[in-house]
Amino acid sequence: MDFDTKTYLIQIKKRYRNILAILFLLYVVYNLVTISQVLPFHTYTVKDGLSSNFVNVMCQDSRGYLWIGTTDGISIYDGATFKNITTSDGLSFSHVNDMIESKKNPGVMWIATNGGGVCKFVNYKMVHYFVGDNKWTNRVNCIREDHNGTIWCGADEGVFYLENNTFVRFKKEIIFTSVTSCEETPDSILWITNSFKLFYYDFKSIKLSNFDLGIDSSIEMSRLNLGEEGNLWIGLSDCSIICLGKK
């Protein structure tokens, strides 16, 4: 794919002072208009049944349940109460970094842990998968499912995909370190970042390439997120956002 002609970059500079100024203005206007209203906002903590106050990831499954990954297990919220899953319930490691529900098999949850590899929650049971053969490969930071239903994950040392119930290292000749995020866009492109570099893998051409965002080498990429229109949103450490998409 020729990204020079078929893609565009929109970089939105949002400095903290501008954000605070806008938020303050909105706050003042809102209070003038709805001074008598109270927002239905509630904070949930361990006192309410949450497994930990330190939350890393949240996702809603196809049944409407909210899955909350914390530093001390998983909490499932049904709108009224929390049900917690910990290492005593089969979770391989208490610190959860990422979670997704399978699109190919709804109801199956894939869980990336910070030291215990990957877990699959299916039929109310946990299935554990080691990722690689050392502690760095089993510190899994992100997990995704591609258009074929294959599970991919990025770890502190490498990118892996699930094949025949075993995680296989992707592109053995390339050392991926500290992979923080990955996403697949609708054009069957898998995007991978290790904070300072952005790679894209084209499933059609079976080619892995480096994508130059044209930013300073000291700027880190914190997270990749797929937008509703198929655009790839990239958060940067300099308080800016990049949107990568089709023209």
Side-chain angles (χ1 to χ4, degrees):
M1 175 176 290
D2 187 356
F3 288 101
D4 291 333
T5 59
K6 294 186 178 180
T7 62
Y8 65 92
L9 290 176
I10 305 171
Q11 186 162 5
I12 310 167
K13 292 293 183 180
K14 295 290 185 181
R15 298 301 177 189
Y16 281 128
R17 60 185 180 184
N18 294 332
I19 294 174
L20 290 175
I22 293 172
L23 289 176
F24 179 75
L25 179 61
L26 290 174
Y27 174 79
V28 172
V29 173
Y30 179 82
N31 278 275
L32 288 174
V33 176
T34 61
I35 192 168
S36 61
Q37 296 182 6
V38 178
L39 289 174
F41 186 84
H42 183 78
T43 301
Y44 294 97
T45 68
V46 292
K47 294 180 180 179
D48 302 291
L50 192 64
S51 60
S52 170
N53 290 334
F54 298 94
V55 175
N56 294 322
V57 61
M58 294 190 296
C59 69
Q60 189 174 30
D61 67 19
S62 55
R63 299 174 300 171
Y65 292 110
L66 184 65
W67 289 66
I68 305 167
T70 77
T71 56
D72 193 20
I74 299 169
S75 293
I76 306 172
Y77 185 60
D78 62 5
T81 59
F82 290 97
K83 175 180 173 55
N84 296 327
I85 300 175
T86 65
T87 52
S88 62
D89 302 302
L91 187 63
S92 61
F93 201 80
S94 59
H95 191 130
V96 174
N97 286 330
D98 201 9
M99 289 187 298
I100 59 166
E101 181 182 21
S102 172
K103 293 170 289 188
K104 185 177 182 180
N105 300 294
V108 175
M109 301 296 296
W110 289 93
I111 303 155
T113 75
N114 198 49
V118 169
C119 285
K120 178 174 72 172
F121 185 78
V122 55
N123 296 326
Y124 301 97
K125 293 182 180 180
M126 281 289 181
V127 180
H128 178 222
Y129 297 84
F130 285 108
V131 179
D133 56 4
N134 61 59
K135 66 178 181 179
W136 307 111
T137 57
N138 283 285
R139 291 181 179 175
V140 184
N141 303 309
C142 57
I143 189 163
R144 289 294 181 269
E145 183 182 60
D146 69 20
H147 61 285
N148 290 319
T150 300
I151 299 298
W152 292 75
C153 66
D156 278 1
E157 185 184 286
V159 176
F160 299 81
Y161 60 92
L162 191 65
E163 184 178 70
N164 297 324
N165 270 337
T166 301
F167 275 100
V168 179
R169 187 184 289 271
F170 174 64
K171 296 291 182 182
K172 294 181 180 179
E173 68 275 14
I174 300 176
I175 304 299
F176 291 97
T177 57
S178 300
V179 177
T180 56
S181 192
C182 58
E183 286 284 358
E184 184 187 15
T185 44
D187 50 359
S188 299
I189 302 291
L190 180 69
W191 297 85
I192 304 165
T193 180
N194 65 347
S195 294
F196 292 103
K197 290 184 178 180
L198 181 64
F199 303 91
Y200 64 95
Y201 176 67
D202 190 331
F203 285 100
K204 298 175 183 177
S205 64
I206 318 177
K207 182 180 178 181
L208 178 72
S209 306
N210 182 39
F211 190 87
D212 185 9
L213 290 174
I215 59 177
D216 190 273
S217 60
S218 64
I219 299 174
E220 296 184 45
M221 287 169 275
S222 58
R223 195 75 178 178
L224 307 178
N225 285 284
L226 186 64
E228 292 184 358
E229 296 181 354
N231 294 332
L232 188 71
W233 293 85
I234 308 168
L236 304 179
S237 61
D238 69 341
C239 309
S240 64
I241 300 171
I242 287 178
C243 177
L244 177 63
K246 291 290 187 68
K247 283 185 177 180

